[in-house]
Amino acid sequence: MNHIEKKPLHQLGYQFIDGPYLPEGKNEYYLRDKQRGKETVHRKLNAREIETLVRNDNTSDDWNNIFVDNDFDPNLVQHCHFYGMVRIGKLEPYFLEFHNLRLPVGLYNSTIASCDFGDNVVVQNVNFLSHYIIGNEVIIANVNEMATTDHAKFGNGIVKEGEPESVRIWLELCNENGGRSVMPFDGMLPGDAWLWTRNRHDAVLQEQFKAFTEKEFDKKRGYYGMVGDRTVIKNCKIIKDVTIGTDAYLKGANKLKNLTVNSEAGAPTQIGEGCEMVNGIIGLGCRAFYGVKAVRFIMASHSQLKYGARLINSYLGNNATISCCEVLNSLIFPAHEQHHNNSFLCAALIMGQSNMAAGATIGSNHNSRGADGEIIAGRGFWPGLSVTLKHNSKFASFTLISKGNYLHELQVPYPFSLVVNDEHENSLKVMPGYWLMHNMYALARNSWKYIDRDKRTDKTQVLEFDYLAPDSVEELFTTLELLELAVGKAHHGNKKVSEKVLRQDGRQLLLKENESVKRMTIYAEGIENSSRKVQLLKVHRSYPLFRELIVLYAMRNLLKNTATLTSFNALQALCRNSKRTAWHNAGGQLIKAEDLEDIKMRIRKGKISSWHQLHDVYRQLGARYEQDKLQHALASLFELLQLTPKEFTAAQLRKCLEQSVHTFGALTEGIYRSREKDYVNPFRQMTYENQEEMEAVVGKLDENSFIQQTITDLKAYKKQVKDLIKKWEL
């Protein structure tokens, strides 16, 4: 049976805060006045204004509780019913226009309970508007219900006074069983979510994260919903416990409940037709339209949901787009793309620069004994058409998975690799370095386009988009060792040989007898949870290429920092303390393992005692990231060459610089050639009448702006190398 309470009409608009939760000496408007900020002088209505309002078919339970600005025109209020204390700013004889919608300033055909209005607002055909503070020049038209309750939390994972713990909102990220749940809060960065979902064994750290969130918000009841200046809300059904920033545009939404909608003039947020969004935080500059369903979610700034997308118990990172798909229990780092109605992503940690192809199914994980499986994918994850993966699986950076049904758990440690399920031979095949050898255009453009599309106004976390960065380079070193071991095993066959000898022999073969490696059949272990063989392809090409990439990584970072390094001796001095260390992708920001441990230690000890302080640490690490990356790059070079900084000579530096030019040139050529395939392939050409029509449709290859940019970059790099060799007399 529905529980419907019957109360006296004179209470409508009053007693917003129940007696037990109203501090002694305070009235029910004390938080409302605090939220309004600057004091605006309002006066009571005069007799003439009341007479005009009554003549215009307006009613109030008490006209003495209506306060107005001196420039208030009562003729601009018609057919409205007021309850409780209402404060109205200037109402002047203008109309407001937005996207061809033209409406006269004023309040019309609406029921209003205990609200504040800024100057020259439009409120028209709002069936019930309750407990809101409305900014200047706001348009609200054709809304069924827009109300705030005394216990509104606006999407934050907090509990108000007198509420049971059971009402707290948790986001069940990365795992369907809730074992990695976090409390959402306005301002949560991808790094915050990642830190909180990890380290679940660390009870002290977990309690500190909860305490951080609790400290962010007041538990008192009685906060009003806010609508910022110039926001437009039209043709919506239910808006409840939603606070909205400035310059937002909400049109045709079915239901918006328990939300914070961040928006500002430079980064306006839009929510469109048919959307139903509940229990969430929406960042600056976001877009949600055409039937989106989102429940228990965070959309970081400049992310998009569209065309019926479903986002549930998930965090969507900055500059990401989900269209038509379903995403459950996932933590997604910035720069993610997912389209097509049959893509499904469940219980995963996706570390950014990722793309889900049509038909890809990353879940469901109900193929295990419990709904507790997880998938972790490094940057640049790309499951191809109709890929089905099994939980638990883990993938290195820039892994491309070929079409297929993968029936077993996978652990692919090789970056830039192609994974193929060969059903004909019943084997799994992995090609390390596939992107670099066969699709350099897509790999390089991936890095470029996300830098270009990073629209964040708040860049607290420095995001890394380069495919050659500390995380991927660390994976390259791991891969070199694994390839040496695999080649050593292929060379020795069934002989019992120590792992050290296998690696030594494999390394010698790869460095000095590469052609013999080309003829070998090489297998890997520990890649797939099955008894079938996993074959490694083109090891003879990927191994030297990976070594060249490490040299290029070192030289590129050196050249970026030559302004602070005046000589070869200065370089040697800098390298004296350089060392290779592990790095972590903390929400798109790469952080050294030792720095991450220091952060966690400081949080445990209370030296970092709030999210704001943690965000300051992100900024500090971001400010020194280029220097840390330079030291890592040089340490990586010395380890690759098996030299100490003292043993590294000027002649060797010159050789590395010249080698990097060759590698950069080969990669640039690869970018051109991989795109050229689309122009010379007869199957690509067959839909066009001739070459001219093809170029009219897809553009000329030689006029491709990205390719032209890479050629320009190569020329600039060659000049930098030449200038440095001359400057340092190498």
Side-chain angles (χ1 to χ4, degrees):
M1 184 176 75
N2 290 340
H3 179 65
I4 297 176
E5 295 186 47
K6 184 166 60 177
K7 296 182 178 180
L9 182 60
H10 66 81
Q11 291 184 9
L12 182 58
Y14 300 96
Q15 300 176 11
F16 185 53
I17 306 174
D18 287 342
Y21 308 113
L22 188 63
E24 187 176 348
K26 301 288 187 181
N27 62 33
E28 65 171 297
Y29 308 120
Y30 82 103
L31 290 175
R32 171 182 178 178
D33 292 338
K34 176 183 173 183
Q35 285 180 272
R36 288 176 65 229
K38 64 178 183 179
E39 183 59 37
T40 304
V41 177
H42 289 87
R43 59 174 176 81
K44 288 188 177 183
L45 295 165
N46 59 43
R48 183 186 59 80
E49 290 169 333
I50 293 174
E51 182 182 350
T52 302
L53 289 167
V54 172
R55 189 169 60 245
N56 288 340
D57 192 29
N58 298 293
T59 67
S60 172
D61 66 298
D62 185 349
W63 288 112
N64 287 318
N65 279 336
I66 308 297
F67 297 88
V68 297
D69 186 89
N70 284 329
D71 293 322
F72 168 76
D73 185 346
N75 292 300
L76 303 182
V77 181
Q78 300 174 13
H79 312 295
C80 288
H81 306 288
F82 297 99
Y83 299 91
M85 185 175 74
V86 176
R87 290 182 282 216
I88 306 171
K90 293 179 184 179
L91 291 183
E92 301 173 301
Y94 298 110
F95 72 86
L96 302 185
E97 180 176 359
F98 181 79
H99 290 187
N100 256 10
L101 174 68
R102 300 175 180 180
L103 295 173
V105 163
L107 314 179
Y108 305 95
N109 306 307
S110 300
T111 298
I112 298 167
S114 196
C115 290
D116 290 346
F117 298 94
D119 295 336
N120 292 319
V121 301
V122 173
V123 176
Q124 189 171 113
N125 301 327
V126 181
N127 293 344
F128 186 62
L129 176 59
S130 168
H131 298 93
Y132 263 92
I133 299 172
I134 311 295
N136 301 316
E137 298 181 3
V138 168
I139 298 174
I140 305 176
N142 305 322
V143 174
N144 288 0
E145 176 188 351
M146 185 169 173
T148 305
T149 62
D150 73 308
H151 54 272
K153 293 169 276 290
F154 307 115
N156 296 295
I158 57 174
V159 174
K160 291 289 187 175
E161 291 176 323
E163 290 187 318
E165 178 64 28
S166 59
V167 305
R168 190 188 300 276
I169 299 298
W170 292 87
L171 297 190
E172 297 175 357
L173 304 180
C174 303
N175 194 303
E176 278 190 277
N177 72 356
R180 296 190 186 274
S181 296
V182 304
M183 291 154 48
F185 62 89
D186 185 23
M188 177 180 260
L189 297 175
D192 303 333
W194 178 79
L195 265 176
W196 200 341
T197 57
R198 304 296 106 184
N199 311 293
R200 303 310 284 201
H201 61 287
D202 192 331
V204 175
L205 193 65
Q206 293 297 315
E207 286 302 315
Q208 288 288 72
F209 290 142
K210 293 177 186 177
F212 287 5
T213 308
E214 294 282 8
K215 284 165 55 177
E216 287 286 310
F217 304 97
D218 192 347
K219 292 185 177 182
K220 294 186 179 69
R221 293 176 178 240
Y223 282 93
Y224 279 41
M226 306 277 287
V227 178
D229 297 345
R230 300 173 302 280
T231 282
V232 177
I233 303 171
K234 69 175 188 179
N235 305 327
C236 295
K237 293 182 179 179
I238 298 173
I239 300 175
K240 189 171 184 179
D241 290 350
V242 178
T243 192
I244 306 166
T246 71
D247 302 279
Y249 184 25
L250 281 59
K251 55 173 180 174
N254 289 340
K255 183 174 184 178
L256 305 175
K257 181 179 179 182
N258 192 28
L259 304 173
T260 291
V261 181
N262 290 287
S263 182
E264 63 185 26
T269 289
Q270 295 184 16
I271 300 175
E273 294 83 353
C275 290
E276 295 165 7
M277 309 179 79
V278 179
N279 300 336
I281 309 291
I282 300 172
L284 294 170
C286 286
R287 301 285 186 274
F289 49 89
Y290 303 140
V292 161
K293 316 296 180 189
V295 181
R296 298 191 182 221
F297 68 96
I298 292 181
M299 293 177 66
S301 68
H302 298 88
S303 58
Q304 297 187 70
L305 294 174
K306 54 187 180 180
Y307 306 130
R310 284 87 73 201
L311 183 71
I312 301 168
N313 266 316
S314 295
Y315 185 111
L316 181 62
N318 312 83
N319 307 304
T321 299
I322 295 178
S323 173
C324 309
C325 313
E326 186 170 12
V327 177
L328 308 174
N329 304 97
S330 293
L331 171 53
I332 301 171
F333 288 179
H336 172 80
E337 298 285 332
Q338 185 170 345
H339 306 272
H340 315 291
N341 201 38
N342 50 359
S343 295
F344 177 52
L345 178 60
C346 179
L349 169 60
I350 308 295
M351 295 189 175
Q353 293 171 261
S354 37
N355 196 313
M356 288 270 293
T361 302
I362 313 306
S364 169
N365 59 3
H366 289 213
N367 48 16
S368 67
R369 283 174 288 278
D372 55 3
E374 301 179 15
I375 282 179
I376 298 177
R379 290 192 296 134
F381 180 58
W382 196 324
L385 294 169
S386 301
V387 161
T388 300
L389 296 177
K390 182 174 181 179
H391 294 63
N392 294 337
S393 289
K394 189 174 182 179
F395 303 93
S397 303
F398 301 97
T399 298
L400 172 63
I401 304 173
S402 181
K403 178 179 179 179
N405 185 15
Y406 294 80
L407 300 176
H408 309 283
E409 298 91 334
L410 298 173
Q411 182 170 14
V412 180
Y414 317 110
F416 312 110
S417 61
L418 170 68
V419 180
V420 179
N421 182 31
D422 190 333
E423 295 182 0
H424 179 70
E425 296 185 9
N426 189 29
S427 67
L428 186 75
K429 296 182 178 179
V430 181
M431 187 189 300
Y434 163 83
W435 285 102
L436 303 151
M437 293 184 278
H438 298 289
N439 202 351
M440 193 60 214
Y441 179 89
L443 179 63
R445 189 173 180 276
N446 180 289
S447 296
W448 169 81
K449 74 179 182 182
Y450 287 123
I451 295 172
D452 186 59
R453 295 176 185 178
D454 187 4
K455 306 301 181 186
R456 294 174 301 150
T457 53
D458 176 8
K459 297 189 176 181
T460 294
Q461 289 201 268
V462 174
L463 303 181
E464 178 62 87
F465 296 119
D466 196 332
Y467 61 89
L468 279 182
D471 59 339
S472 57
V473 169
E474 285 297 308
E475 290 172 339
L476 288 179
F477 273 102
T478 299
T479 300
L480 292 178
E481 294 176 5
L482 291 173
L483 295 183
E484 290 165 1
L485 185 61
V487 170
K489 288 181 178 179
H491 175 68
H492 286 284
N494 295 324
K495 296 178 184 176
K496 287 189 176 182
V497 183
S498 70
E499 184 173 313
K500 182 179 179 180
V501 172
L502 290 173
R503 273 199 58 201
Q504 287 175 345
D505 291 351
R507 176 185 171 86
Q508 289 302 312
L509 287 166
L510 285 161
L511 290 175
K512 298 180 179 179
E513 299 180 42
N514 204 267
E515 282 301 310
S516 66
V517 175
K518 182 179 179 180
R519 295 188 293 271
M520 291 181 181
T521 302
I522 301 168
Y523 296 105
E525 297 176 356
I527 306 298
E528 183 179 67
N529 186 21
S530 74
S531 59
R532 65 178 184 167
K533 293 182 176 180
V534 178
Q535 185 178 354
L536 297 178
L537 306 176
K538 299 190 178 180
V539 172
H540 69 291
R541 290 189 60 188
S542 59
Y543 184 86
L545 179 55
F546 286 172
R547 292 179 61 88
E548 290 174 18
L549 285 178
I550 294 170
V551 174
L552 176 62
Y553 167 66
M555 295 301 99
R556 273 173 42 179
N557 279 282
L558 171 61
L559 289 169
K560 282 168 61 178
N561 290 274
T562 50
T564 58
L565 293 170
T566 56
S567 66
F568 179 72
N569 290 335
L571 173 65
Q572 283 188 312
L574 173 70
C575 297
R576 198 171 294 128
N577 298 318
S578 296
K579 61 178 180 178
R580 256 191 69 216
T581 57
W583 289 67
H584 295 282
N585 184 346
Q589 179 175 5
L590 301 185
I591 298 177
K592 289 193 294 185
E594 60 196 56
D595 287 333
L596 186 64
E597 288 304 315
D598 178 64
I599 288 171
K600 291 190 286 187
M601 181 272 293
R602 290 162 66 190
I603 291 172
R604 291 187 205 100
K605 293 184 176 181
K607 294 180 179 179
I608 297 174
S609 59
S610 70
W611 291 115
H612 295 289
Q613 290 183 7
L614 179 57
H615 294 175
D616 287 340
V617 174
Y618 293 155
R619 293 186 189 96
Q620 293 162 13
L621 293 175
R624 67 172 220 236
Y625 174 60
E626 288 300 326
Q627 192 69 16
D628 286 345
K629 184 163 61 167
L630 173 62
Q631 292 206 346
H632 177 266
L634 294 172
S636 298
L637 176 67
F638 299 142
E639 183 162 335
L640 182 77
L641 300 178
Q642 296 184 328
L643 295 172
T644 65
K646 283 185 178 180
E647 295 169 335
F648 189 58
T649 65
Q652 287 169 321
L653 175 58
R654 176 169 183 153
K655 182 179 178 181
C656 289
L657 286 165
E658 291 171 345
Q659 180 185 326
S660 72
V661 169
H662 172 77
T663 305
F664 199 167
L667 294 177
T668 304
E669 178 72 9
I671 291 170
Y672 183 88
R673 294 303 172 200
S674 60
R675 181 60 174 150
E676 184 185 41
K677 295 173 186 175
D678 296 332
Y679 284 80
V680 299
N681 185 337
F683 289 92
R684 290 275 189 171
Q685 295 172 339
M686 67 184 177
T687 58
Y688 307 102
E689 292 292 332
N690 49 48
Q691 183 72 18
E692 289 75 17
E693 185 191 17
M694 180 178 179
E695 291 178 348
V697 174
V698 300
K700 293 183 178 180
L701 177 61
D702 292 334
E703 294 177 359
N704 182 294
S705 61
F706 174 65
I707 291 176
Q708 293 304 313
Q709 182 61 50
T710 60
I711 293 171
T712 301
D713 291 344
L714 176 60
K715 290 178 181 177
Y717 186 81
K718 287 179 177 178
K719 185 178 185 305
Q720 282 183 293
V721 169
K722 185 177 179 182
D723 290 347
L724 185 65
I725 290 174
K726 182 178 179 181
K727 179 181 176 182
W728 285 7
E729 299 178 349
L730 300 177

